[in-house]
Amino acid sequence: MYSNNHLTQISNVLVIGCGGAGLRAAIEVKLAGLEVSVLGKRAKTDPHTVLAAGGINAAFGNVDPEDSWKQHFTDTYLEGYGIGDVHQIELMAKESPLLVNEIDTWGANFAKLENGSLDQRFFGAHTYRRTF
């Protein structure tokens, strides 16, 4: 007789990918009161977000005080050849500092300046240093 030994798990939402974006999505699902499962190809102790060459961007002005959400918006819109959704880009540029602070408090372990502020560096098409 054939025996099929497999695990069955039921949840409301399946998130495929356990990097930073996938885990952030899973947190929102859980906060909404739904059951969530996260599926990734790596061991849960080996996410690849920490190995990414890029980073996450927000206009804090910690290194370049003249930076602003408006410049972040402009850089993003222009680098997207002017075809991005301006409302979504504005929302991202305005809210990204709050969300970067949030994931830092969760333990993202971003580099810090001597004064304790988050350090920032150049990356991509940004006018100012805003990558963490």
Side-chain angles (χ1 to χ4, degrees):
M1 177 174 211
Y2 176 75
S3 176
N4 190 359
N5 295 325
H6 64 277
L7 175 66
T8 300
Q9 185 172 338
I10 297 173
S11 61
N12 301 107
V13 176
L14 172 63
V15 174
I16 300 175
C18 58
L23 293 177
R24 186 66 182 92
I27 288 168
E28 283 301 312
V29 171
K30 192 66 176 174
L31 290 173
L34 300 172
E35 290 298 316
V36 59
S37 297
V38 179
L39 177 65
K41 62 182 177 183
R42 310 279 306 174
K44 68 180 176 180
T45 57
D46 187 25
H48 273 306
T49 297
V50 297
L51 301 176
I56 188 168
N57 300 293
F60 277 83
N62 292 343
V63 179
D64 297 317
E66 55 277 0
D67 198 8
S68 67
W69 76 264
K70 291 179 182 179
Q71 186 62 55
H72 190 182
F73 169 91
T74 300
D75 291 346
T76 303
Y77 182 74
L78 293 177
E79 184 60 17
Y81 301 101
I83 62 173
D85 182 318
V86 294
H87 300 294
Q88 292 298 315
I89 297 170
E90 180 180 348
L91 182 67
M92 178 276 305
K94 285 180 174 178
E95 293 192 6
S96 57
L98 174 69
L99 298 173
V100 167
N101 274 332
E102 180 180 60
I103 63 174
D104 184 55
T105 64
W106 290 348
N109 198 25
F110 293 122
K112 304 285 193 304
L113 298 169
E114 286 185 21
N115 67 7
S117 298
L118 295 173
D119 196 7
Q120 297 177 276
R121 62 181 169 79
F122 282 114
F123 190 78
H126 295 285
T127 301
Y128 299 109
R129 290 170 283 191
R130 69 172 66 105
T131 301
F132 303 94

